[in-house]
């Protein structure tokens, strides 16, 4: 579109300020489907690289073989598409993965529409989406299957719907067992491609239905404007339920280039995104504006330039800070096509784009001109085009508009209207955004008409949060708002209650927990102001101007506050308060439970890099998400033994970090392990760490990772591993008894000894791993690795009584966990005993009940450590070498349940014990 300032007319033309590529092989006049285009690429270039996922490489030929096979399986499961019937929707619940992309394509290839669902959503929200679609089935994988099944059960109980959970592996196996040619597919231009659910003002999410014509239109426009190239490698960074993922996946595959899926493991780098770009030679990157701002800040703080492989940078979602754009220019020393894109989900990803000319430096960044195939109109309240540079509402048009809000004719009619504009009838979408034409034909964004909130990458309707909040029995009235400080937005809630009184932190905790069960994390307010009643105007509406400042509100977790003690803890608390915009933060408050996100982690690390000159890897922060844990971790990584040492921080000792080697061991059942090879002078001593299982193993994963790093910095080689049937290991989890776990431990030791130059080894068991080791030592006569007993055995907080542990698990699950979530929310019903995120079979319960260390006599080299918070401490008197540590770790303490935890005293005690046995003469500063 172009605005002529002389007569106020709007004319249609291609985007003039963006370089346009020639489409030589795609017919844009007669639209087909994206599925046709990708199938054509697979036919022409079967050996070209389509997907890069971790260490996996998938060619276009392999991709289409899997898509075709899965498509047959999906059609067999659901049935043939009847064009006279309503469209068929298939739920899709995956983390970022090759399987997710294959499933999307297969569902569309079968003639159905996929409905992406975030695995992190509360079960109730999953169920709402599945019921609203309604989905015929939900395609998922093993790691997310249990949560999905809970949502499916919820739907079937409430709506008597025919719905099932379908495991991808099983569906592929069934289709492969009866192969047959896939002669044609059923995707049609007018058919639905996908439904993306967004926040709804009526209190429930609304499904934006995108058809194949719209998706095709967008992909072709994307290819033109961003000059997509066959050599591109586009990073798939976004979650699948946000439509940035659509532009990260489909246009590159249409073009015949590669999609690089963001690795699941956190990188050992402070600037994680730059490390990923460098590692995978990423050329194209699409980021939400807030993420891009933080990445720029992180590059400035770590004195890094824009990675040289990058040629395309698309920023979208919120208003771009010109200050950050200037910083970007100073960091970018090679040609990069930088684009500011704008577009609601209803317009299929992006509708306008602005590409700054060289030397661009204005106070405001425009949102540009419409993409090819799109139209834009700025209309006044009477629906007439505005004149001159007046402000009006932005309307979008063209074949890329969504078909409808699924099953919502009322709001569809309001948002999608056919208007008579300059003598022609045009189907438009009312964005609700204010805008104006600039003299050069670009569009200047001016904010919202209504109260809709743009937070990070998400558009949030306050009404949906308010509707959920009103369901709480102690909430009378409520209002949701957003505040901004230093460029950071956060949600806050006002609500009235009869229980409003001084010290109502417990009520706030309960309300926040209640919302966490029903809404995605990004929609749960960070701050709550509790009032006797909300102020109102004369006509009875809430008087927003008379509301107290949101800074007066409380944050969840305030009922259990512990003040900082050391100088470093105080500095970290102040930094967290500034970034999270929370007045008071205790040292045991969890960053993520306070509303922190990956986005804010990046900002915090950038600030740390600038203030303390510390290069803190992102994964280290995720492993230590409390102030107490992070402070201890920073001191420990600097080799410090007391608080004052942090003032000498000049960056992590990167040279001392171990070489990490993933491995599989065992001949009968492959088990997965990670060997940490020390780069320090070797002690020729290996250490095997046997962790917990299920939730216990998940919670201590980062904890044991940090212990492994610490030991390697003192010359020890270390292995951590997954027991059979857990993690990446093969086997059946239901059949994993304590005896099988003991044999897994011995196999891990054999593999470690064979993989290193170690002449001796020690064994560390944490929690259930400790009790397995103790029982195995006392009852099993199987030879040890290379015929030697372990030099030292350390039982770290072992489970003394298996029966007592099972009872504690049952109580823990009833009181704290719900819906197999890692978030701390109360259960509303009694559940069967769980330990692996699933009901624990009777045979396994029987196996654990056999564990009773009171009757065990382990060898004299066994040392027992337990934390002050261990409820079983009085049962540990059976061991003469038992030693209590000041670490207050306990199953029942919330901060030790919801996050990985650091154990500085345990770490130091373990290190001292291992160094006592050293015979190499290597010096230690333990």
């Amino acid at each position: 579109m172009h605005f002529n300032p002389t007569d106020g007319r709007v004319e249609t033309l291609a985007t003039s300020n963006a370089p346009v590529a020639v489409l030589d092989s795609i017919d844009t006049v007669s639209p087909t489907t994206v599925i046709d285009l990708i199938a054509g690429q697979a036919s022409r270039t079967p050996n070209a690289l389509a997907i890069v996922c971790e260490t996996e490489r998938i060619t276009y030929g392999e991709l289409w073989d899997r898509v075709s096979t899965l498509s047959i399986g999906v059609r067999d499961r659901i049935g043939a598409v009847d064009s006279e019937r309503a469209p068929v929707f298939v739920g899709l619940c995956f983390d970022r993965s090759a399987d997710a992309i294959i499933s999307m394509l297969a569902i569309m290839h079968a003639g159905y529409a996929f409905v992406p669902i975030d695995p992190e959503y509360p079960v109730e929200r999953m169920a709402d989406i599945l019921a609203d679609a309604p989905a015929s089935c939900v395609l998922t994988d093993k790691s997310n299957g249990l949560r999905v099944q809970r949502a499916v059960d919820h739907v079937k109980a409430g709506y008597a719907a025919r719905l099932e959970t379908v495991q991808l592996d099983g569906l592929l196996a069934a289709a492969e067992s009866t192969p047959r040619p896939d002669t044609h597919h059923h995707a049609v231009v007018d058919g639905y491609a996908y439904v993306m659910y967004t926040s709804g003002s009526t209190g429930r999410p609304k499904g934006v239905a995108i058809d194949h014509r719209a998706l095709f239109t967008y992909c072709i426009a994307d290819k033109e404007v961003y000059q997509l190239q066959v050599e591109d490698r586009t990073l798939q960074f976004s979650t699948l339920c946000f439509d940035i993922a659509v532009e990260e996946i489909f246009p590159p595959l249409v073009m015949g280039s590669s999609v690089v899926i963001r690795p699941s493991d956190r990188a050992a780098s402070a600037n994680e995104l730059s490390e990923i770009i460098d590692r995978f030679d990423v050329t194209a990157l699409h980021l939400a504006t807030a993420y891009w701002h933080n990445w720029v800040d992180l590059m400035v703080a770590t004195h890094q330039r824009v990675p040289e492989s990058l040629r395309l940078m698309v920023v979208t979602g919120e208003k771009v800070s010109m200050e950050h754009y200037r910083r970007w220019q100073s960091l970018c020393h090679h040609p990069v096509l930088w684009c500011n894109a704008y577009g609601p989900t209803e317009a299929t990803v992006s509708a306008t784009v602005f590409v700054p000319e060289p030397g661009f430096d204005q106070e405001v960044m425009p949102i540009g001109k419409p993409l090819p195939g799109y139209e834009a109109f700025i209309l006044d309240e009477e629906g007439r085009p505005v004149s001159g540079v007046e402000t009006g509402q932005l309307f979008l048009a063209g074949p890329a508009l969504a078909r409808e809000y699924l099953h919502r004719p009322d709001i569809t009619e309001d948002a999608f209207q056919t208007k008579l504009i300059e003598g022609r009838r045009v189907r438009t979408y009312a964005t609700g955004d204010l805008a104006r034409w600039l003299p050069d034909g670009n569009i200047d964004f001016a904010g919202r008409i209504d109260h809709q909130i743009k937070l990070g990458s998400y558009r949030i309707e306050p009404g949906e949060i308010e509707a959920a909040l009103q369901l709480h029995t102690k909430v009378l009235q409520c209002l949701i708002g957003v505040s901004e400080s230093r460029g950071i937005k956060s949600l806050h809630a006002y609500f009235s209650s009869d229980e409003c009184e001084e010290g109502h932190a417990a009520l706030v905790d309960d309300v926040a927990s209640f919302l966490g069960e029903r809404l995605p994390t990004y929609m749960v307010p960070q701050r709550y102001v509790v009032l006797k009643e909300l102020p109102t105007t004369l006509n009875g509406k809430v008087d927003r101007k008379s509301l107290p400042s949101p800074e007066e509100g409380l944050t969840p977790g305030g009922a259990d506050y512990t003040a900082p003690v050391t100088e470093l803890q105080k500095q970290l608390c102040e930094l967290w308060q500034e970034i999270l915009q929370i007045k008071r933060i205790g040292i045991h408050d969890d960053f993520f439970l306070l509303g922190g996100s990956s986005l804010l982690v990046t900002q915090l690390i950038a600030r740390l890099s600038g203030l303390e000159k510390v290069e803190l890897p992102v994964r280290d922060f995720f492993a230590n998400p409390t102030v107490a844990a992070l402070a201890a971790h920073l001191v420990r990584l600097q080799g410090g033994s007391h608080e004052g040492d942090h003032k000498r921080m000049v960056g992590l000792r990167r040279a001392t970090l171990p070489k990490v080697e993933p491995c599989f061991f065992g001949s009968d059942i492959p088990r997965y392990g990670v060997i940490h090879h020390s780069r320090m002078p070797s002690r020729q001593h290996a250490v095997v760490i046997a962790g917990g299982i299920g939730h216990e193993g998940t919670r201590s994963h980062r904890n044991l990772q940090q212990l492994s790093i610490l030991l390697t910095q003192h010359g020890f080689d270390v292995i951590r591993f997954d027991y059979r049937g857990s993690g990446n290991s093969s086997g059946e989890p239901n059949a994993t008894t304590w005896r099988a776990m003991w044999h897994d431990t011995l196999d891990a030791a054999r593999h470690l000894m064979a993989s290193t130059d170690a002449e001796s080894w020690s064994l560390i068991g944490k929690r259930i791993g400790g009790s397995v080791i103790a029982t195995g030592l006392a009852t099993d006569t199987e030879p040890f690795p290379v015929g030697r007993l372990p030099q030292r055995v350390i039982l770290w907080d072992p489970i003394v009584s298996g029966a007592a542990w099972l009872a504690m698990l049952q109580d823990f699950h009833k009181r704290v966990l719900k819906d197999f979530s890692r978030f701390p929310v109360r259960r509303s019903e009694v559940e069967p005993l769980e330990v692996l995120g699933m009901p624990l079979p009777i045979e396994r319960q029987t196996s654990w009940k056999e564990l009773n260390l009171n009757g065990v006599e382990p060898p004299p080299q066994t040392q027992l450590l337990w934390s002050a918070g261990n409820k079983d401490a009085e049962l540990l008197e059976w061991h003469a070498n038992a030693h209590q540590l000041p670490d207050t770790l306990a199953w029942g303490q919330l901060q030790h349940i919801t996050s990985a935890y650091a154990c500085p005293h345990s770490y130091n005690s373990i290190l001292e014990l291992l160094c006592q046995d050293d015979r190499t003469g290597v010096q230690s500063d333990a």
Side-chain angles (χ1 to χ4, degrees), residues 440-576:
D440 61 359
N442 284 297
I443 299 172
D444 184 21
F445 176 80
R448 289 291 302 175
I449 293 175
D450 54 20
H451 295 299
Q452 187 185 86
I453 295 168
K454 197 65 182 290
L455 189 66
S457 306
Y458 303 97
R459 289 185 301 156
I460 298 173
E461 294 287 356
E464 184 173 1
I465 306 175
E466 291 165 0
L469 192 52
Q470 290 278 18
L471 296 175
H472 194 285
T473 56
K474 296 178 182 178
V475 172
L476 302 178
Q477 291 177 290
C478 62
L479 180 73
I480 300 297
V482 63
S483 57
E484 183 172 355
S485 175
R486 298 175 62 90
I488 305 171
K489 293 180 181 178
S490 61
L491 294 174
H492 56 262
Y494 296 94
F495 70 89
S496 60
S497 175
D498 289 336
E499 297 191 10
C500 174
E501 57 185 22
E502 288 296 324
H504 43 250
L507 176 59
V508 166
D509 287 354
D510 187 55
V511 168
S513 177
F514 178 84
L515 290 179
E517 296 180 31
R518 290 159 174 79
L519 300 174
T521 305
Y522 66 85
M523 292 179 66
V524 178
Q526 294 172 250
R527 215 182 277 113
Y528 299 79
V529 180
V530 189
L531 304 168
K532 278 290 184 183
E533 58 183 21
L534 300 187
T536 59
T537 61
L538 292 176
N539 61 9
K541 293 184 178 181
V542 175
D543 185 357
R544 293 175 178 263
K545 295 181 180 180
S546 299
L547 289 168
S549 168
E551 294 183 359
E552 298 181 16
L554 296 176
T555 56
D560 185 21
Y561 171 77
T562 303
V565 177
T566 67
E567 187 62 31
L568 178 56
Q569 288 177 348
K570 292 176 182 177
Q571 290 183 12
L572 290 176
C573 281
E574 291 172 359
L575 183 58
W576 285 27

Side-chain angles (χ1 to χ4, degrees), residues 6 73 95 167 253 261 317 347 378 388 391 396 584-585 592 612 627 744 750 836 876:
T6 59
D95 297 303
Q167 294 281 349
L253 293 180
I261 298 172
I378 301 176
T391 299
L396 301 174
R584 189 180 72 165
I585 290 179
F592 300 104
E612 295 285 354
V627 167
D744 291 344
R750 291 188 184 90
L836 294 169
L876 303 179

Side-chain angles (χ1 to χ4, degrees), residues 307-340:
E308 293 185 359
S309 66
L310 197 67
R311 71 147 199 94
L312 172 65
M313 179 72 251
V314 181
V315 180
T316 184
E318 288 184 284
K319 198 169 186 178
V320 170
S321 156
M322 280 302 301
E323 180 183 353
H324 284 84
Y325 179 71
R326 296 183 187 106
R327 292 176 190 169
W328 168 272
Q329 294 294 88
S330 69
L331 298 170
C332 192
H333 292 199
H334 68 282
V336 173
L337 178 60
W338 189 94
C339 307
N340 180 34

Side-chain angles (χ1 to χ4, degrees), residues 635-677:
V635 172
R636 184 170 61 253
L637 284 177
Q638 296 305 310
S641 58
H642 58 83
E643 163 59 22
D645 285 345
H646 88 277
K647 296 186 180 299
R648 300 199 305 267
M649 290 182 182
V650 291
L652 294 180
R653 299 181 297 172
R654 306 306 299 174
T656 68
L657 291 179
K659 175 186 175 183
V660 179
E661 176 194 350
C663 64
F664 281 93
F665 60 87
S667 57
D668 54 342
I669 297 176
R671 277 139 292 170
Y672 177 78
V674 177
I675 300 177
H676 299 260
H677 294 280

Side-chain angles (χ1 to χ4, degrees), residues 73-99:
V74 171
R75 288 202 297 268
D76 287 346
R77 197 64 174 253
I78 297 176
V81 176
D82 182 351
S83 59
E84 300 299 323
R85 296 170 55 197
V88 176
F89 303 104
V90 179
L92 186 145
C93 187
F94 290 92
D95 297 303
R96 285 178 295 265
S97 64
D99 285 344

